[in-house]
Amino acid sequence: MPTQRRPLIGVSAYVEPADWAVWRGVRAVLVPEAYTRAVTAAGGRAVVLPPDDVDADVVGVLDGLLLAGGADVGPGRYGQPTDPRTEDRPDRDAGELTVLAAALAAGLPVLGVCRGMQLLAVAYGGALHQHLPDVVGHEAHRPAPGVYGAHPVRFAPGSLAASVLAGVDQVNSYHHQAVADPGRLTVTGWAGDGVVEAVEDPARPFVLGVQWHPENERDPRPITALVRAADQRV
């Protein structure tokens, strides 16, 4: 008997120097397996999207979009000069904003993770804090290189974030930038120190950004919810 196909989830990819086998420092298109594993576990098929701003035709075959974490969004995108501690990737900004605009125009479910949430805010006319410790006075959101922090989180009652994350009161964290202005998005999640942890577009069925890394949680609910929302389109 024929079976319904799995929803196709585009996952934005990094381009970074990488090592494997005998190769060292080769520029490679890559994404942490945790993202694709979470998509697969939720019943989706992950499609890795390298940076490409020529067009957004790929959106025509996708059922959902996951904007992954990574380097900083370029401050020029929100009208600020670059702080020396900002490390951006213009190719990712250009490619992801192109695909995001098309995904929103097509009504696709969209999830932004860490950098992805910040990119969502910028796309909606918002702005970022370029170095969060200057704002909150501590390094708890990125305690050390390669070390995730953990902190409490709360969500606005009745929001998409509260629905998806019911019962969640602590999350992991690895970022030195944060949303300062959500633009046309609504802030629906906060850390204990007031840092924005979730944003969403209440005018759409599923456009959600989370500042932490659900792909590294045992229960990656935001990614599961994205796949379920996409499945309704299949």
Side-chain angles (χ1 to χ4, degrees):
M1 294 180 60
T3 59
Q4 181 173 310
R5 70 170 177 83
R6 289 183 286 169
L8 298 177
I9 307 298
V11 182
S12 63
Y14 306 44
V15 175
E16 301 287 348
D19 299 345
W20 70 94
V22 299
W23 311 109
R24 297 292 178 268
V26 178
R27 282 178 59 81
V29 173
L30 55 88
V31 66
E33 188 204 12
Y35 288 104
T36 61
R37 187 170 62 242
V39 167
T40 301
R45 160 74 79 173
V47 179
V48 176
L49 304 177
D52 183 344
D53 66 344
V54 173
D55 58 52
D57 288 358
V58 68
V59 167
V61 300
L62 297 179
D63 302 299
L65 177 64
L66 196 168
L67 299 170
D72 303 323
V73 178
R77 296 284 180 177
Y78 48 95
Q80 291 185 12
T82 301
D83 184 290
R85 295 163 295 188
T86 292
E87 185 178 350
D88 61 2
R89 297 291 186 276
D91 58 340
R92 283 196 67 180
D93 293 349
E96 289 175 12
L97 287 168
T98 298
V99 172
L100 173 59
L104 292 173
L108 264 61
V110 176
L111 173 65
V113 170
C114 196
R115 167 198 157 85
M117 183 184 96
Q118 296 166 10
L119 191 80
L120 265 179
V122 170
Y124 271 76
L128 308 179
H129 296 300
Q130 288 194 57
H131 193 61
L132 186 56
D134 290 349
V135 179
V136 297
H138 61 76
E139 303 268 0
H141 292 271
R142 189 178 68 174
V147 176
Y148 286 88
H151 58 76
V153 66
R154 61 184 177 88
F155 304 104
S159 64
L160 174 61
S163 173
V164 169
L165 294 149
V168 173
D169 58 9
Q170 181 170 292
V171 295
N172 64 46
S173 181
Y174 192 79
H175 60 101
H176 83 112
Q177 298 197 336
V179 170
D181 172 4
R184 299 182 304 279
L185 294 172
T186 298
V187 177
T188 55
W190 302 265
D193 58 8
V195 170
V196 174
E197 290 290 325
V199 295
E200 58 193 70
D201 183 346
R204 295 175 179 268
F206 196 102
V207 173
L208 175 66
V210 297
Q211 184 58 72
W212 68 95
H213 284 269
E215 77 279 7
N216 291 327
E217 300 278 11
R218 291 184 178 181
D219 182 4
R221 293 190 196 183
I223 296 175
T224 301
L226 170 70
V227 175
R228 289 176 178 171
D231 193 40
Q232 295 176 9
R233 299 175 53 85
V234 175

